[in-house]
Amino acid sequence: MDPGREDEVPLAATSPESRRTRSNGRGKATVGDAPPPAETVVSTKAAPLPTGGWKKGIAILDFILRLGAIGAAMGASILMGTNEQILPFFTQFLQFHAQWDDFPVFKLFVVLNALAGGFLILSLPLSIVCIVRPLAVGPRFLLLITDLVNMATVIAAASAAAAIVYVAHNGSQDANWIAICQQFTDFCQGTSEAVVVSFVAAVFLVCLIVVSTLALKRT
Amino acid sequence: MDPGREDEVPLAATSPESRRTRSNGRGKATVGDAPPPAETVVSTKAAPLPTGGWKKGIAILDFILRLGAIGAAMGASILMGTNEQILPFFTQFLQFHAQWDDFPVFKLFVVLNALAGGFLILSLPLSIVCIVRPLAVGPRFLLLITDLVNMATVIAAASAAAAIVYVAHNGSQDANWIAICQQFTDFCQGTSEAVVVSFVAAVFLVCLIVVSTLALKRT
């Protein structure tokens, strides 16, 4: 849109010589015989290296945060997916075996967290591209959109599971729902841990989005 | 960071005369006696109006989406907060009066949606600032961060309520939780509608974030 800025990314990769030539072409200083003004124009625009370095730091931070988010999302999925408890004694319930896939919400939790973790792993190459080319806009924008979707997914899964864990812990007198955690203590602790880890993944994703926005932002 | 672009926002508000003076100051063309190159430099950079117009359109879209999000979040809060049902007959339950504040999750839902709606109303003046000054970065970034927090809040509230509504509709055989919706049909329909409206607010907020990112993005 702004013709004065559309060649910013190529500028970072070209040599000072070609840069001066391009500036001359834009400023039309080669038509006459006044090179000094054109050279001073170049000197006021020729400092993309500090910006690139700052953006590269942001890209590396993005990569590290992404690894953390992958670990947390996958960890939450595995924690929940391996969660079961068999009671050694007979209770007032008919069954004495609690497993994560008894509850559809926990199934959804495992699937959504695994999906988010998978998409985050798939986004790692893009993140590396952003480290190599810190000023590229396209990959960064794609990362931001996928992170946004992943964040919504992880928060939705974690909140839904948290609501069920709350009912399992406290029950609901008005609805006659029993607090099953009074029997299945280990099972409930496992689900609570998985929910907490999933919220950690969500925090990582929020940080990722803020970092991506900072990288995209006009200064 | 890039000294050649930091005066872009003031440029959009100043007249062509002052713009030329500033460019002369940067290019140091006033030291010598070669005004023509400085003037041609101005002519290649002096088209911020199309960008400004495009950004202004985005800012107006932001304002409209924001009104939609306010309506949806407030609507969800009110729908849930006025939801109760008194059964005309005696059932197997001890109580025959279902109200939204019997369930802590629904209380949280009302509070979080009202909070998000309130913050969205508070952000309206900032959105108007962005319409008036489409190239300003600070207000836009602030809007993006608050929208991100609002989106996380609304999605968390809606998902948690959705999980409880699911259990209320289908019950859970393994946990001996009864499907209370078989008795309280109107109450359950009210909560379901509130959850759907809350998810609509979340969709509006996702659109708002994407729009803000587009407005912030380097082209």
Side-chain angles (χ1 to χ4, degrees):
Chain A
M1 288 295 159
D2 191 342
R5 285 191 289 126
E6 65 186 355
D7 53 352
E8 185 193 31
V9 178
L11 264 185
T14 52
S15 65
E17 282 73 24
S18 65
R19 218 178 294 166
R20 192 179 302 147
T21 318
R22 295 191 66 162
S23 294
N24 284 355
R26 279 198 290 126
K28 289 175 188 162
T30 49
V31 180
D33 51 351
E39 268 193 316
T40 49
V41 167
V42 167
S43 73
T44 55
K45 272 187 79 83
L49 272 177
T51 311
W54 179 72
K55 300 264 181 194
K56 195 181 272 281
I58 276 191
I60 293 169
L61 179 65
D62 175 285
F63 189 78
I64 295 168
L65 284 173
R66 204 167 290 275
L67 290 181
I70 290 171
M74 285 301 188
S77 190
I78 291 167
L79 262 180
M80 184 65 92
T82 56
N83 193 18
E84 62 175 326
Q85 185 184 10
I86 299 165
L87 288 188
F89 49 87
F90 193 85
T91 68
Q92 72 195 61
F93 294 87
L94 287 176
Q95 93 285 7
F96 15 89
H97 178 207
Q99 204 173 3
W100 62 277
D101 58 1
D102 294 341
F103 296 86
V105 171
F106 293 162
K107 278 191 208 171
L108 195 74
F109 179 91
V110 169
V111 171
L112 289 186
N113 271 291
L115 264 182
F119 272 112
L120 281 167
I121 290 174
L122 286 180
S123 74
L124 278 180
L126 263 183
S127 182
I128 293 170
V129 167
C130 284
I131 293 178
V132 177
R133 299 190 53 186
L135 291 171
V137 170
R140 175 61 63 192
F141 194 65
L142 199 61
L143 277 182
L144 184 77
I145 299 295
T146 55
D147 287 346
L148 208 57
V149 174
N150 281 335
M151 183 192 121
T153 309
V154 169
I155 288 186
S159 309
I164 298 300
V165 168
Y166 178 87
V167 172
H169 268 285
N170 296 78
S172 176
Q173 273 213 317
D174 296 298
N176 270 359
W177 292 343
I178 331 153
I180 56 165
C181 282
Q182 284 166 8
Q183 276 81 36
F184 296 98
T185 46
D186 291 350
F187 175 73
C188 275
Q189 206 180 342
T191 51
S192 308
E193 283 167 5
V195 167
V196 169
V197 173
S198 186
F199 273 117
V200 169
V203 169
F204 271 118
L205 281 163
V206 170
C207 293
L208 272 175
I209 293 173
V210 173
V211 161
S212 281
T213 317
L214 281 174
L216 271 180
K217 190 161 76 83
R218 288 169 281 139
T219 43
Chain B
M1 291 295 157
D2 190 343
R5 285 193 289 129
E6 66 186 25
D7 53 354
E8 183 194 33
V9 178
L11 265 184
T14 52
S15 65
E17 282 74 24
S18 64
R19 220 180 293 166
R20 193 179 302 146
T21 318
R22 295 192 67 162
S23 293
N24 284 355
R26 278 198 290 128
K28 288 175 188 160
T30 48
V31 180
D33 51 352
E39 270 193 315
T40 49
V41 167
V42 167
S43 73
T44 55
K45 271 187 78 84
L49 273 177
T51 311
W54 180 72
K55 301 264 182 194
K56 195 182 272 283
I58 276 190
I60 292 170
L61 180 65
D62 176 285
F63 189 79
I64 295 168
L65 283 174
R66 204 167 290 276
L67 290 181
I70 290 171
M74 286 300 186
S77 190
I78 291 167
L79 263 180
M80 184 66 93
T82 56
N83 193 18
E84 62 175 326
Q85 185 184 10
I86 299 165
L87 288 188
F89 49 87
F90 194 84
T91 67
Q92 70 195 60
F93 294 87
L94 287 176
Q95 92 285 8
F96 15 89
H97 178 208
Q99 205 171 3
W100 61 278
D101 57 2
D102 293 342
F103 296 86
V105 170
F106 292 162
K107 276 191 208 171
L108 195 74
F109 179 91
V110 170
V111 171
L112 289 185
N113 272 291
L115 265 182
F119 273 112
L120 280 167
I121 290 174
L122 287 180
S123 74
L124 278 179
L126 262 184
S127 182
I128 294 170
V129 167
C130 283
I131 293 178
V132 177
R133 299 189 53 187
L135 291 171
V137 170
R140 174 60 63 192
F141 194 65
L142 198 62
L143 277 182
L144 184 77
I145 298 296
T146 56
D147 287 346
L148 209 56
V149 174
N150 280 335
M151 182 193 122
T153 309
V154 169
I155 288 185
S159 308
I164 298 300
V165 168
Y166 179 86
V167 172
H169 268 285
N170 295 78
S172 176
Q173 273 213 318
D174 296 297
N176 270 0
W177 293 343
I178 331 151
I180 57 165
C181 282
Q182 284 165 8
Q183 277 81 37
F184 296 98
T185 47
D186 290 351
F187 175 74
C188 275
Q189 204 180 343
T191 51
S192 308
E193 283 166 5
V195 167
V196 169
V197 173
S198 186
F199 273 117
V200 169
V203 169
F204 271 118
L205 282 162
V206 170
C207 293
L208 272 175
I209 293 173
V210 173
V211 161
S212 282
T213 317
L214 281 175
L216 272 179
K217 190 161 77 83
R218 288 169 282 139
T219 44

